[in-house]
């Protein structure tokens, strides 16, 4: 599917932004490892205040340049690529007396050298460029690989987290070797680069060590839950931190199991990934949320916040062909970015800021790219557009792009990590580009976790032919759904779940008995409670004597609650209402079945004539009150409570509201009518009439408005439907209900953060 012409401008804008960032690094920072965009100078290890672990990415090897090499190729900057390769070969040394992170050096430097070598070798073989190239980058990669190998000299085979590039680990001059722990991702994110190095260089030792580390992690998984922890002892393989999720500390371990299968064709990696994935979907995934649980007791959530690194996971789900949860989680992340401009480094399950930093991380853009290519839904181009615009507005500075210190204040940090150039611009450019516009066939490569390109031709094994459709990645069986309506239907579904469905799924709460539920609360013990209250659920502590439970889980507060749901009593009959179109040419013959509200004007006691209307989300104060005052407004269901919308529209002067369901295809014949309820508090202040139309009935009204612009309607109980004779003589007809916009045109981007209450 071709990108619409209106999005072409963003591809050009991305190139301009890349030029600004890369040009600033080369002008102000090179040969330093990173650019300090506020100071307009390079960050040199030892010359700036020590930042602890953050600085262990820096090894005095021009990190940003190496990390950016294959990005230059993807963006079709081939002259710049050739010049950059010459600089790397000429200027960069890898034998520096500096302690670096094994993980970061592997994915950024080794991966960068290998990806650039693959590109350089390709151009050389094509006979037009790089004719001078003699595998210098591959030789540098092999040198670096040998410098990283001593890290694997442990009893278990799990690598040390740090290494001295010149002296290794155990040399007295190395200044390290006392470490006992490493993160799961740190040990499990070596196989792509090390296997590629082995297969390109002919030296099997690298792949051998990376495979052994993966074997250890697999064998140390919790056998009952099939989950792994976050931190492990490198000597005895015991878990140090037993919390399990898909974000920081574990993320790329799962990614590399899947991608190792794609790159190397070894079925064992796919089998392991699938077992882990099933466990993730059973315990960690509570769409659209991805929670952290205790690996030995996975029904217990261990924290009430998520970190931004998990934003890669929808992209990985696309590779597996599991689109529905990918779309759901991505949509949740998109709504967080709408609320805070960027993904905070960590945010709560209520989507509040937990850690306010935004380091220009690319994972959300990565998943957006994968979802667009899988679904063809232009919605994801608009998501990419928002990323581009926010980077320019909130992160761009005269000397590059600066990380955001706190998304709540917009303050900057003097930092532009190398992954911003290596990944962000690569994924954004690919999002807005067709394959024919790229200098390489992108389908021939696997992206490493740092978005470096490794050729699938490295595989020495192929899946059995009869399993091709089942095991290829992405799965054609799932991706045959390549149409925008599939993704849209899933996004819409996020907005229509009832409160009871959400609570039952999230907390397994039974309505007809008191029982104990466990909430991942903050220190004040109230944040999750306040969130539930905002969903219209009244919560009250039960007497401690009713507890009947002695369970204790570290990091999890227990509170005994009973939920009073504001829902229609099963014994209470819902009185059907209607929206009756009475102006020509309808003359009362078009009658739309509507659901009533438990608050606002009681239409069983008086009917209400409708005048002008426009479509609104109405979840915040409305600015165009002149258009609303004295008229009835159309409001699309979702995003916030019915009562909240009603108040905002009433404050703007609306005389009533017709809510329309955003689920395409919903109708009163297939769906039981329900009564709209309040938000748990008093709704006595809402005095305007309110009715609810399912999507099909709402579409009839919208079509009428589009065709006739002015349509008179009445809101009233179904039993008081006007007859033909009454319709023509009714003396209370008003000036007409008019609009020129279809609601989807105006509010199609207003997908819900939370399950829609109204």
């Amino acid at each position: 599917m071709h990108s619409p012409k209106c999005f072409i401008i963003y591809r050009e804008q991305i190139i301009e932004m890349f030029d600004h960032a890369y040009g600033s690094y080369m002008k102000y920072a090179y040969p330093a490892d990173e650019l300090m965009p506020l100071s307009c100078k390079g960050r040199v290890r030892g010359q700036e205040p020590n930042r602890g672990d953050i600085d262990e990415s820096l090894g005095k090897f021009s990190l940003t340049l190496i990390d950016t090499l294959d990005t230059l190729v993807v963006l079709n900057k081939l002259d710049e690529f050739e010049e950059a390769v010459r600089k790397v070969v000429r200027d960069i040394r890898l034998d520096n007396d500096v302690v670096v992170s094994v993980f970061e050096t592997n994915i950024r430097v080794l991966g960068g050298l290998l990806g650039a070598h693959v590109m350089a070798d390709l151009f050389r073989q094509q006979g037009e460029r790089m004719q001078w190239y003699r595998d210098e980058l591959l030789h540098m990669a092999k040198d670096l690989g040998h410098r990283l190998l001593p890290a694997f000299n442990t009893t278990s085979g799990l690598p040390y987290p740090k290494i001295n590039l010149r002296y290794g680990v155990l040399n007295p001059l190395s200044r390290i070797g006392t470490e006992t722990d490493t993160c799961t991702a740190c040990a499990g994110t070596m196989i792509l680069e090390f296997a590629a190095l082995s297969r390109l260089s002919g030296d099997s030792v690298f792949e051998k060590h990376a495979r052994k580390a993966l074997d250890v992690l697999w064998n140390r998984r919790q056998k009952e839950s099939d989950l792994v922890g976050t931190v492990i002892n490198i000597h005895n393989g015991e878990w140090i931190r037993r919390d399990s999720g898909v974000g920081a500390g574990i993320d790329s371990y799962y990614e590399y199991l899947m991608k190792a299968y794609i790159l190397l064709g070894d079925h064992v990696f796919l089998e392991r990934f699938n077992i882990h994935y099933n466990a993730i979907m059973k315990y960690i995934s509570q769409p659209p949320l991805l929670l952290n649980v205790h690996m030995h007791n996975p029904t217990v959530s261990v924290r009430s916040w998520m970190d931004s690194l998990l934003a890669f996971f929808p992209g990985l789900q696309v590779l597996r062909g599991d689109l529905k949860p990918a779309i759901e989680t991505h949509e949740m992340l998109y709504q967080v970015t709408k609320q805070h401009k960027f993904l905070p480094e960590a945010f709560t399950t209520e989507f509040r800021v937990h850690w306010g930093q935004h380091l220009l991380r690319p994972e959300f853009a990565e998943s957006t790219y994968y979802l667009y290519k899988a679904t063809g839904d232009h919605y994801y181009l608009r998501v990419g557009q928002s990323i581009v615009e926010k980077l320019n507005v909130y992160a761009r500075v005269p000397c590059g792009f600066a990380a955001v210190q706190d998304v709540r204040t917009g303050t900057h940090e003097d930092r532009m990590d190398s992954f911003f150039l290596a990944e962000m611009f690569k994924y954004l450019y690919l999002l807005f580009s067709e394959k024919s516009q790229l200098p390489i066939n992108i389908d021939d490569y696997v992206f490493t976790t740092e978005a470096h390109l490794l050729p699938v031709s490295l595989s020495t094994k192929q899946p059995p032919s009869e399993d091709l459709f089942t095991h290829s990645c992405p799965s054609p069986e799932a991706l045959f759904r390549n149409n925008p309506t599939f993704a849209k239907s899933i996004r819409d579904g996020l907005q229509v779940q009832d409160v009871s469905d959400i609570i039952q799924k999230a907390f397994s709460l039974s309505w007809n008995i008191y029982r104990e539920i466990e909430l991942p609360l903050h220190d004040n013990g109230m944040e999750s409670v306040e969130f539930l209250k905002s969903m219209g659920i009244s919560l009250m502590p039960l007497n401690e004597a009713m507890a009947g439970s002695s369970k204790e889980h570290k990091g999890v507060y227990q509170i005994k609650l009973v939920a009073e749901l504001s829902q229609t009593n099963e014994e209470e009959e819902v009185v059907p209402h209607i929206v009756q179109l009475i102006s020509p040419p309808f003359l009362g013959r078009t009658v739309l079945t509507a659901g009533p509200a438990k608050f606002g004007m009681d239409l069983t006691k008086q009917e209400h004539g409708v005048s002008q209307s426009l479509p609104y989300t109405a979840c915040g104060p409305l600015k165009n009150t002149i258009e609303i005052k004295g008229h009835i407004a159309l409001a699309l269901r979702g995003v916030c409570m019915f009562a909240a919308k009603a108040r905002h529209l009433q404050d703007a002067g609306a005389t009533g509201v017709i809510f329309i369901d955003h689920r395409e295809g919903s109708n009163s014949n297939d769906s039981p009518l329900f009564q709209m309820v309040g938000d748990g508090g008093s709704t006595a202040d809402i005095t305007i009439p309110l009715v609810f139309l399912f999507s099909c009935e709402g579409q009839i009204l919208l079509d009428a408005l589009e065709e006739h612009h002015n349509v008179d309607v009445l809101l009233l109980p179904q039993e008081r439907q006007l007859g033909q004779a009454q319709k023509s003589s009714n003396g209370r007809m008003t000036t007409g209900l008019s609009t020129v916009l279809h609601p989807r045109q105006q509010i199609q981007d207003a997908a819900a953060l939370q399950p829609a209450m109204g």
Side-chain angles (χ1 to χ4, degrees), residues 190-407:
M190 307 291 289
I191 186 63
L192 293 188
E193 293 82 1
F194 268 43
L197 178 57
S198 282
R199 298 185 183 204
L200 289 168
S201 69
D203 189 343
S204 63
V205 65
F206 307 107
E207 182 173 345
K208 174 184 174 183
H209 282 287
R211 280 179 176 266
K212 183 177 180 182
L214 282 179
D215 290 344
V216 174
L217 292 174
W218 171 252
N219 290 327
R220 298 302 300 176
R221 77 190 186 285
Q222 213 290 321
K223 300 302 192 299
E224 293 182 7
S225 69
D226 286 316
L227 296 173
V228 293
T230 305
V231 177
I232 192 169
N233 185 290
I234 60 175
H235 300 297
N236 60 25
E238 295 296 324
W239 292 106
I240 306 303
R241 279 184 50 191
R242 295 174 172 82
D243 51 313
S244 186
V246 297
I250 303 179
D251 49 358
S252 49
Y253 163 65
Y254 293 132
E255 178 186 5
Y256 269 37
L257 283 178
M258 166 61 85
K259 291 183 176 179
Y261 167 71
I262 300 172
L263 181 69
L264 307 176
D266 191 334
H267 207 277
V268 69
F269 295 124
L270 182 63
E271 291 174 348
R272 292 179 182 180
F273 173 80
N274 281 334
I275 291 172
H276 280 315
Y277 185 78
N278 290 336
I280 291 168
M281 299 309 292
K282 181 177 181 180
Y283 300 116
I284 292 170
S285 176
Q286 296 186 15
L289 307 179
L290 289 166
L291 304 178
N292 271 49
V293 300
H294 195 290
M295 63 182 291
H296 295 289
N297 191 357
T299 60
V300 175
S301 295
V302 297
R303 66 188 192 196
S304 61
W305 50 271
M306 297 172 278
D307 63 79
S308 63
L309 286 172
L310 62 74
F312 90 100
F313 198 68
L316 187 61
Q317 290 179 306
V318 171
L319 284 180
R320 191 184 185 273
D322 198 1
L323 290 186
K324 185 176 185 294
I327 292 167
E328 291 171 334
T329 298
H330 179 275
E331 182 61 23
M332 177 270 291
L333 295 168
Y334 183 36
Q335 297 306 321
V336 176
T337 68
K338 282 186 172 182
Q339 186 170 336
H340 301 296
K341 301 183 179 66
F342 299 104
L343 272 185
E345 191 71 352
F347 50 95
T348 70
T349 52
E350 301 90 337
F351 311 125
R352 300 173 185 169
V353 173
H354 186 72
W355 297 330
Q357 262 188 324
H358 174 71
L359 302 178
L360 309 180
R361 291 198 187 277
E363 286 79 12
F364 180 62
E366 174 185 0
S367 287
T368 303
Y369 160 70
Y370 279 115
L371 274 168
Y372 175 62
K373 297 305 178 182
T375 66
D377 189 346
H378 291 164
Y379 178 85
Y380 296 109
L381 295 179
R382 293 192 293 275
V383 176
Q385 171 188 341
S386 73
I387 297 172
V388 170
E389 291 173 347
K390 287 171 182 173
L391 285 173
N392 267 325
V393 172
Y394 301 108
R396 187 168 182 143
V397 294
C399 294
F401 290 81
V404 178
Q405 193 170 52
D406 194 318
V407 297

Side-chain angles (χ1 to χ4, degrees), residues 365-480:
E366 174 185 0
S367 287
T368 303
Y369 160 70
Y370 279 115
L371 274 168
Y372 175 62
K373 297 305 178 182
T375 66
D377 189 346
H378 291 164
Y379 178 85
Y380 296 109
L381 295 179
R382 293 192 293 275
V383 176
Q385 171 188 341
S386 73
I387 297 172
V388 170
E389 291 173 347
K390 287 171 182 173
L391 285 173
N392 267 325
V393 172
Y394 301 108
R396 187 168 182 143
V397 294
C399 294
F401 290 81
V404 178
Q405 193 170 52
D406 194 318
V407 297
R408 292 164 290 197
T409 63
T411 52
H412 285 134
E413 193 172 340
D414 202 3
R415 175 175 180 180
M416 189 180 85
D417 288 80
S418 68
F419 52 68
F420 183 58
L421 286 164
E423 298 184 69
M424 180 70 83
F425 289 110
K426 197 174 289 171
Y427 286 122
L428 287 176
Y429 185 80
L430 289 170
L431 174 64
F432 290 102
S433 300
E434 300 300 324
K435 291 179 182 178
S436 60
Q437 297 167 326
L438 303 174
I440 59 174
N441 183 355
I442 202 69
D443 292 336
D444 290 341
Y445 301 90
V446 173
F447 289 105
T448 69
T449 196
E450 192 77 2
H452 294 306
L453 300 172
L454 299 178
V456 293
S457 59
L458 292 176
S459 175
T460 57
K461 300 179 182 179
Q462 295 296 330
S465 58
E466 65 271 13
D467 291 334
L468 183 61
F469 278 101
T470 304
H471 300 301
S472 60
C473 304
S475 166
E477 291 180 325
L479 301 191
F480 283 155

Side-chain angles (χ1 to χ4, degrees), residues 615-632:
Y616 299 100
T617 50
C619 284
L622 300 167
K623 298 179 181 178
N624 50 341
T625 55
I626 295 176
E627 301 173 9
I628 303 170
K629 191 171 183 180
H631 306 303
I632 280 188

Side-chain angles (χ1 to χ4, degrees), residues 561-610:
L561 304 166
V562 59
E564 280 181 4
L565 290 189
S566 300
Q567 60 183 170
T568 303
N569 190 299
E570 291 181 359
E571 305 293 326
E572 185 177 347
E573 182 181 355
V574 176
V575 179
H577 282 48
I578 60 169
V579 176
Q580 188 169 17
L581 283 62
I582 59 175
S583 59
F586 308 101
L587 300 176
R589 290 186 293 269
T590 301
V591 179
L592 309 174
T593 302
K598 273 195 167 186
F599 55 99
M601 180 186 290
D602 186 352
L603 288 171
T604 63
K605 298 178 180 177
Q606 54 184 318
E607 59 197 45
H608 192 80
V610 183

